[in-house]
Structure formats: structure tokens, C-alpha cells
Amino acid sequence: MLLRRKTRVKKTGSDVDNHPEYSEQCGQLYRDIKEHLAAGYSKREISKKLHCSRNTVSKYAEGDYEALCRKVYRSRVDQHYDMIVKSLSAGMSRADVYQELVAAGCQISKTAAYDYMNKLIKGNGIDVSVYKSSSPEAVRERKRLEKYDHVTRPGIFRFLWMGGNLTPYHREYLMKEYPVLSELAVCIREFREIFDKRNMPMLYLFIEKYKSSQYKGLSRFAAGLEKDIEAVENAVASDLSNGFVREQTAN
């Protein structure tokens, strides 16, 4: 009787796409990463486009398809590994991901789920600073808006307070659509000029002008200056209190 030695054939992406022992999501990620690499994208660019960490991109770029895409269920929550990593990388909070797990029928305590997610965060290099409490709908909406040109709120603050750069188009659009920004920019410039010149009359004129501003934030600011006028006068006159304003003006 002849015995035939079993020969193990290494599977490739095309062999296992629909095989129940392999993760469809991992397989798709594997193919997407390979396609982007072949098209000349850097690992950083692929990480941003596919909402995964650069460690994940490197692992899939250099690893074996079968080893990466075979399903290995060590616990109930492991079955949701792909969903969890994708959701966390897209900006969903751990609380929202936990709710998704519960809705998917995963019976796991909140503490265990958070411990599991913390390990994934560390292992996949996910930036927790981007976390916000967001519903899946909100995450999808943020993704939809990514294709539009936009200016961040910190960018506007830097432009107003520190003279940060804005394109002429952005500047024209913001000043036209949000008139308060134009008045705020003038207010900041005039306020700095008071300290730069140490000019008390300019301070009093500034307070009177902005006390009647139609924008409540500016009128409250002017009223606050008037309420503490003695301290403000000392700040204008003294070299000890206006260093930050003068430094920012110089910049």
C-alpha cells in the first residue's frame, strides 16, 4: 500500500477570498495596501487613506497573506477585531465602539472591552488624541467632509492672534461669510497697539468703541476692561505685564 505525503499548498489572496477560515476584511485591506504601494503611495499616505496605522501598513506590506488573513478566534471579541480597529482608527471613541459590539451581539463587559481596545490601540499605534464621542453616522459624515477644502478652527485662531498664514481665497471667504472675524481682527490689532504705544487715551477710546459692539463677546470684553480699569491701566503702563502681547506683536 502506497502512502501519499500530504503537500501543503500556500494559499494566495485569490485562493482564499471567500474561504470561511479567512477574514474578508483583512483580505481586502491586504489587497488595498498592495495596490496603493504598487501605485507609488507612501506608507504614511496609505495610512491616512485607509484609516489604519503605519505599523499595520508595514505589516501587511511585508507579511504573508495566509498568516495575516486567517481567522484565529481566541475570544468572543476577537471576531470583531477588524471592526474595532477600523472604527478606532476612524476616530470613534471606545465608548461608541463598545456600544457597536453590544449591538452586534458580543457579550462582553465594558471593562474587558476597554482592556481589549487599549491593547489594540497600543499594538496598532492608533492616535488616541483624535478620539471624540461620535456615532457611526457622525464618523461617516466626517469622512464625507474630508474631500472638501476646509480651514480648521485652530488655524483661524492662529491667523487672528499670531498672524498665521491663510490663502487669499480662505481669507476672502472667511471675512465675507463671517463678518465677526473681520471686526475681531481689527479689535486684536487695536488692542495690541495700546500696549505697544502704552497709550492710555487709546485704551479709553477702545473701551467705549467696543462696549457698543453688536457682538456680545467683544462688548463683554470691553465691559470687563472697564470694570478692572485700574489693573488694565497698570498693565498698559508697566513693562512687567505686557511681555506676551508685545512679543506676539513683534512676531
Side-chain angles (χ1 to χ4, degrees), residues 32-43 46 57 60-62:
D32 288 343
I33 289 174
K34 290 292 188 180
E35 288 175 1
H36 281 78
L37 286 171
Y41 286 90
S42 69
K43 291 181 180 180
I46 296 173
V57 175
Y60 275 74
E62 301 162 6

Side-chain angles (χ1 to χ4, degrees), residues 87-88 90-99 110 114 128-139 142:
S87 298
L88 291 173
M92 285 182 67
S93 69
R94 282 162 284 195
D96 291 331
V97 176
Y98 175 69
Q99 293 301 322
K110 196 171 201 177
Y114 273 49
V128 296
S129 67
V130 303
Y131 286 176
K132 296 178 182 177
S133 182
S134 308
S135 65
E137 292 76 16
V139 172
R142 285 205 302 274

Side-chain angles (χ1 to χ4, degrees), residues 3-46:
L3 297 177
R4 294 184 178 179
R5 177 180 296 177
K6 291 183 179 180
T7 303
R8 185 178 181 184
V9 178
K10 185 176 181 179
K11 296 179 174 63
T12 62
S14 58
D15 296 327
V16 300
D17 283 346
N18 300 313
H19 197 286
E21 292 185 1
Y22 290 84
S23 166
E24 180 181 348
Q25 292 87 347
C26 287
Q28 185 61 53
L29 180 60
Y30 182 94
R31 292 189 295 275
D32 288 343
I33 289 174
K34 290 292 188 180
E35 288 175 1
H36 281 78
L37 286 171
Y41 286 90
S42 69
K43 291 181 180 180
R44 180 188 292 273
E45 291 171 329
I46 296 173

Side-chain angles (χ1 to χ4, degrees), residues 15 29 43 138 141 146 186 209-210 235 238 251:
D15 296 327
L29 180 60
K43 291 181 180 180
E141 179 65 10
E146 284 178 357
V186 173
K209 174 182 177 180
Y210 287 102
S238 173
N251 291 337

